[in-house]
C-alpha cells in the first residue's frame, strides 16, 4: 500500500490553517477508505519562520492527531526552501510526496489522481491549471510572458504549473543532490528526467488571509528563475551593447560627413541623448553582471539553505495519552 506524505509550507497562515488541516485530514481519510494510500500516510506542515500563531496551530494539531506532523524552521528561509525541507524530511517515511500551498487554492482532491498516476509508474506528476480566471489581468499577462520567454531561451518549464506536484521517493532523493542555494524548483524538477505526466485542475480563490506572492515578489521570483537557468539576459545586454556601438559608429560617420560638407550645426540635444543612452546601457549591463556575481557569491559561501528548529516528524514520538493531555493544556 502506498504511503503518502503531503507537505504544506506555511508562512503567516493562522487565518487559513485550521480549515486547511481539517480538509486535508478529511482527504487523507477518504483516500485510505478507497484503499489508495496506507493509514501510515502523513500530513507535514512546515512553518517557514512565521510571525503569527501558525506554529502554535501546527503544534497543537500534532499533539491531537497522529497523522499531522510539523517542522519549524529557525527563520524565514523562503517558500522554495521550506518546500525542500519538508520533502527531504518526509522522503524516508513515504513512497511519494505531494507538495501544495496552505491557501487551498489548489484543488486538493486532485491528489487522488496524483496517487493513481504514481501507481501507474510515474515518478513526477505535475498539477497544471486549466485556466487562470481567479488571477488578475496583470498577473495572468506577466505569467504568460514569463512562461513563453523561458521556453524561448531553452528553459524547460511546465506551463501554468506552480508547486503543486507529486514526486516519488527516488525523485526527491535525486532533487536533494542539487546543492544550489538559488533554488527554483519549477525549473529544477523537470531536469530530473524521471517519467512524468500532468493532471489538470481548476484553481480556486483564496478563502482567507492574503497572498504571500504580491506583484513585486512575483517579479523577483521570476527574475531569480531566469538568471538561475540561463545566460541569455547577459548575452542580450552584450548584444545590445554591440548594437549601440554600431549605431554610434554610423552616427559618427554621419557627423563626419556633415563636417566635411560644411553642414554641421552646434547643439547639445544629440550629445545629451547619446550620453544618456550609452550611460543607461552601461548601468543596466553592470547591474545584470552584478546579479550573476551575487548569485555566484551566495553559492561559494555554501551556507545551509535552511535550519530546522523543531522536527516533529522525525523526532521522538509522544504517547497517545500524553498527546491528548498536552492538547487539552494548550486548549
Amino acid at each position: 500500500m502506498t504511503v503518502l506524505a503531503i507537505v504544506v509550507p506555511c508562512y503567516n497562515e493562522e487565518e487559513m490553517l485550521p480549515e486547511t488541516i481539517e480538509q486535508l485530514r478529511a482527504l487523507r481519510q477518504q483516500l485510505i477508505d478507497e484503499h489508495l494510500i496506507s493509514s501510515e500516510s502523513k500530513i507535514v506542515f512546515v512553518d517557514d519562520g512565521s510571525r503569527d500563531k501558525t506554529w502554535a496551530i501546527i503544534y497543537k494539531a500534532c499533539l491531537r492527531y497522529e497523522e499531522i506532523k510539523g517542522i519549524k524552521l529557525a527563520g524565514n528561509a523562503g517558500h522554495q526552501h521550506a518546500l525542500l525541507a519538508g520533502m527531504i524530511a518526509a522522503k524516508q517515511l513515504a513512497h511519494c510526496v505531494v507538495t501544495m500551498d496552505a491557501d487551498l487554492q489548489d484543488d486538493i482532491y486532485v491528489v487522488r489522481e496524483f496517487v493513481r498516476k504514481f501507481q501507474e509508474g510515474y515518478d513526477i506528476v505535475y498539477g497544471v491549471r486549466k485556466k487562470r480566471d481567479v488571477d488578475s489581468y496583470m498577473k495572468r499577462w506577466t505569467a504568460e510572458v514569463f512562461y513563453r520567454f523561458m521556453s524561448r531561451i531553452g528553459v524547460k518549464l511546465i506551463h501554468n504549473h506552480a508547486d503543486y506536484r507529486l514526486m516519488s521517493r527516488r525523485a526527491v532523493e535525486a532533487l536533494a543532490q542539487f546543492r544550489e542555494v538559488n533554488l527554483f524548483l519549477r525549473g529544477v524538477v523537470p531536469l530530473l528526467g524521471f517519467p512524468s505526466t500532468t493532471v489538470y485542475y481548476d484553481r480556486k480563490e483564496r478563502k482567507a488571509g492574503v497572498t504571500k506572492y504580491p506583484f513585486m515578489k512575483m517579479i523577483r521570483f521570476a527574475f531569480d528563475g531566469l538568471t538561475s537557468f540561463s545566460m541569455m539576459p547577459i548575452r542580450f545586454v552584450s548584444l545590445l551593447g554591440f548594437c549601440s556601438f554600431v549605431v554610434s559608429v554610423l552616427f559618427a560617420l554621419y557627423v563626419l560627413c556633415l563636417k566635411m560638407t560644411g553642414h554641421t550645426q552646434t547643439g547639445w540635444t544629440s550629445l545629451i541623448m547619446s550620453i544618456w543612452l550609452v550611460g543607461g546601457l552601461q548601468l543596466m549591463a553592470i547591474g545584470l553582471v552584478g546579479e550573476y556575481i551575487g548569485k555566484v557569491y551566495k553559492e561559494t559561501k555554501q551556507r545551509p539553505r535552511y535550519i530546522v528548529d523543531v522536527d516533529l516528524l522525525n523526532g521522538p514520538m509522544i504517547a497517545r495519552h500524553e498527546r491528548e493531555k498536552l492538547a487539552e493544556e494548550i486548549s
Side-chain angles (χ1 to χ4, degrees):
M1 188 72 71
T2 301
V3 179
L4 171 68
I6 300 177
V7 174
V8 186
C10 306
Y11 179 68
N12 295 341
E13 293 286 357
E14 65 175 346
E15 296 181 39
M16 192 67 205
L17 201 51
E19 176 71 12
T20 302
I21 291 173
E22 292 306 316
Q23 289 204 27
L24 291 180
R25 288 187 65 240
L27 170 66
R28 172 185 174 274
Q29 191 57 51
Q30 287 182 20
L31 297 179
I32 292 174
D33 294 341
E34 295 172 9
H35 304 289
L36 280 176
I37 64 174
S38 167
S39 59
E40 296 297 319
S41 299
K42 305 295 181 184
I43 304 170
V44 183
F45 291 93
V46 183
D47 178 28
D48 186 24
S50 299
R51 295 189 296 269
D52 59 5
K53 298 179 181 178
T54 295
W55 176 246
I57 297 171
I58 295 172
Y59 187 70
K60 180 179 177 180
C62 292
L63 295 175
R64 180 160 294 181
Y65 308 116
E66 293 184 6
E67 66 271 21
I68 302 294
K69 300 296 179 182
I71 297 174
K72 184 178 187 299
L73 302 185
N76 180 233
H79 180 265
Q80 299 290 280
H81 291 146
L83 274 176
L84 185 66
M87 288 189 289
I88 291 178
K91 66 182 175 66
Q92 298 300 330
L93 306 176
H95 298 128
C96 57
V97 176
V98 169
T99 57
M100 65 173 66
D101 292 335
D103 54 20
L104 294 182
Q105 287 189 268
D106 297 318
D107 185 1
I108 63 174
Y109 294 99
V110 175
V111 173
R112 180 181 289 105
E113 297 301 319
F114 283 2
V115 174
R116 286 174 177 161
K117 293 295 184 182
F118 169 73
Q119 292 172 347
E120 291 175 8
Y122 293 100
D123 286 281
I124 303 173
V125 184
Y126 299 101
V128 178
R129 307 176 196 177
K130 292 180 181 178
K131 48 190 177 181
R132 306 182 67 106
D133 292 347
V134 299
D135 294 337
S136 65
Y137 172 78
M138 179 60 68
K139 192 170 183 178
R140 290 198 303 269
W141 181 78
T142 52
E144 189 70 23
V145 170
F146 172 70
Y147 282 114
R148 288 187 177 181
F149 182 71
M150 294 291 276
S151 178
R152 288 287 182 88
I153 64 177
V155 180
K156 185 179 180 182
L157 292 181
I158 306 300
H159 192 74
N160 281 336
H161 164 70
D163 289 299
Y164 188 27
R165 68 177 74 86
L166 175 146
M167 297 181 65
S168 67
R169 179 188 296 170
R170 71 166 183 161
V172 176
E173 289 175 344
L175 178 63
Q177 297 179 29
F178 286 73
R179 307 307 304 171
E180 56 206 70
V181 174
N182 301 285
L183 190 62
F184 185 66
L185 289 175
R186 300 179 197 183
V188 172
V189 173
L191 295 178
L192 299 180
F194 292 119
S196 62
T197 187
T198 58
V199 173
Y200 294 90
Y201 69 96
D202 291 316
R203 187 168 170 84
K204 306 174 185 178
E205 293 185 1
R206 173 182 273 269
K207 295 182 180 180
V210 296
T211 178
K212 304 306 181 294
Y213 271 95
F215 179 73
M216 289 307 299
K217 192 171 182 179
M218 287 293 296
I219 294 296
R220 289 197 299 269
F221 181 70
F223 190 70
D224 284 342
L226 174 62
T227 53
S228 295
F229 280 86
S230 176
M231 294 295 294
M232 185 61 71
I234 203 165
R235 289 172 182 166
F236 174 75
V237 170
S238 299
L239 178 62
L240 195 62
F242 177 75
C243 293
S244 176
F245 171 75
V246 172
V247 171
S248 300
V249 170
L250 294 177
F251 186 73
L253 293 175
Y254 172 71
V255 171
L256 183 60
C257 290
L258 289 179
K259 184 175 181 61
M260 293 176 64
T261 56
H263 292 87
T264 56
Q265 295 181 356
T266 58
W268 59 273
T269 303
S270 59
L271 178 62
I272 293 298
M273 290 183 63
S274 300
I275 292 175
W276 283 3
L277 174 63
V278 175
L281 291 175
Q282 288 177 337
L283 289 175
M284 185 170 62
I286 292 172
L288 190 56
V289 171
E291 182 71 23
Y292 279 97
I293 293 175
K295 287 183 177 294
V296 174
Y297 174 64
K298 288 182 179 180
E299 296 292 344
T300 55
K301 288 189 293 186
Q302 296 185 349
R303 290 179 178 174
R305 292 173 289 188
Y306 57 85
I307 297 176
V308 176
D309 184 11
V310 181
D311 186 353
L312 300 180
L313 176 62
N314 298 301
M317 300 298 294
I318 305 175
R320 183 181 181 86
H321 69 280
E322 293 179 355
R323 287 201 310 271
E324 294 175 351
K325 182 180 179 180
L326 286 170
E328 291 177 0
E329 292 176 355
I330 293 176
S331 299

